[in-house]
Amino acid sequence: MKKIHLFMGYFLLQIQISQGISRYCQEAVNSAESVRSCPTSEEEWEIAARNKNCSIIASQQNCSSAEKFQYHCVLNSYRNETLEVCAPSRIIFGHCVEFNLQGGVIQDQYASPCNDTFPKCDKYYNSSTAYKYPDCYQLASMGNKISSTTTTIYDITSTTTDESFSRELSDSINMWIIIMLSLSIILLTFLCAFVITQVKRRC
């Protein structure tokens, strides 16, 4: 099951890369506002989205298609506040989600990998459904108490987590390549045997 999740994650990541979803978006940066809390239910999310009215900006920006340019309420990159922002939605892979003001993009909060205890989130999910994972919002209040020394440690952990995930993806891809090659050889063998059988019968 883990291998399937990794393969699907890699597939979705390649789609995002091909669509240029990870690029800087000035309109998103301009729309970012600090808020005291984020919605934690679909109903609250829809109300906040109507108030933010991202559809106005969506029709004028060129960061993504209009339908992907959506309301978000997520962590900032320092995990010490929550932000409301209109930005291109993207798939998040097993982390909380952040809006990086410097990068102008919605992305994985690599210092906040999800797990079975805290914070909890899915293996991959759309950034515009962040309200389903309220644990992540709690990190904002905790982030205010984190010292600069601890922040440095988080940065190191972020790199390690990212590299680990990349290695797992690479291993998963290699496994699928081997499986596909094996199936191709088996299929070719059966096909050759079938052809030889048919030729012998005609003779």
Side-chain angles (χ1 to χ4, degrees):
M1 184 62 71
K2 184 178 180 181
K3 294 293 185 182
I4 294 174
H5 280 303
L6 287 170
F7 182 75
M8 287 298 298
Y10 178 79
F11 178 71
L12 293 169
L13 180 61
Q14 292 307 306
I15 291 176
Q16 288 190 157
I17 292 173
S18 67
Q19 292 177 341
I21 293 176
S22 298
R23 66 184 181 185
Y24 181 89
C25 181
Q26 186 62 54
E27 289 84 357
V29 173
N30 294 343
S31 73
E33 295 180 287
S34 177
V35 292
R36 300 182 71 176
S37 62
C38 285
T40 55
S41 70
E42 185 174 7
E43 182 180 3
E44 290 177 357
W45 187 271
E46 289 177 353
I47 292 172
R50 284 197 295 271
N51 292 335
K52 189 70 173 174
N53 201 6
C54 294
S55 58
I56 294 178
I57 307 174
S59 60
Q60 301 170 354
Q61 54 80 41
N62 59 2
C63 302
S64 69
S65 59
E67 60 269 17
K68 284 186 174 294
F69 198 84
Q70 298 177 325
Y71 167 82
H72 291 80
C73 194
V74 298
L75 296 170
N76 69 347
S77 56
Y78 300 105
R79 299 197 323 180
N80 59 6
E81 65 178 343
T82 47
L83 302 174
E84 278 193 334
V85 59
C86 301
S89 62
R90 60 174 298 170
I91 302 301
I92 303 300
F93 299 98
H95 295 82
C96 292
V97 55
E98 71 171 32
F99 180 70
N100 188 295
L101 282 167
Q102 289 73 34
V105 66
I106 290 285
Q107 62 184 21
D108 293 59
Q109 222 292 335
Y110 286 115
S112 308
C114 296
N115 53 62
D116 294 332
T117 54
F118 180 88
K120 295 180 181 180
C121 71
D122 288 337
K123 294 287 186 182
Y124 44 85
Y125 61 95
N126 193 291
S127 59
S128 64
T129 62
Y131 64 87
K132 295 180 179 179
Y133 315 105
D135 281 5
C136 292
Y137 297 140
Q138 294 183 40
L139 295 174
S141 58
M142 294 167 60
N144 288 319
K145 303 174 183 177
I146 295 174
S147 66
S148 58
T149 302
T150 307
T151 302
T152 302
I153 294 174
Y154 281 136
D155 289 340
I156 295 171
T157 303
S158 168
T159 303
T160 304
T161 302
D162 193 19
E163 290 176 352
S164 176
F165 185 68
S166 298
R167 285 196 299 269
E168 287 188 6
L169 283 178
S170 178
D171 291 342
S172 177
I173 293 166
N174 290 336
M175 181 198 71
W176 280 99
I177 290 175
I178 293 171
I179 290 174
M180 294 305 294
L181 286 174
S182 300
L183 289 175
S184 298
I185 292 171
I186 293 171
L187 182 61
L188 185 61
T189 301
F190 275 111
L191 183 60
C192 290
F194 176 77
V195 171
I196 291 172
T197 301
Q198 294 299 314
V199 170
K200 286 183 176 180
R201 285 181 178 178
R202 291 179 182 178
C203 295

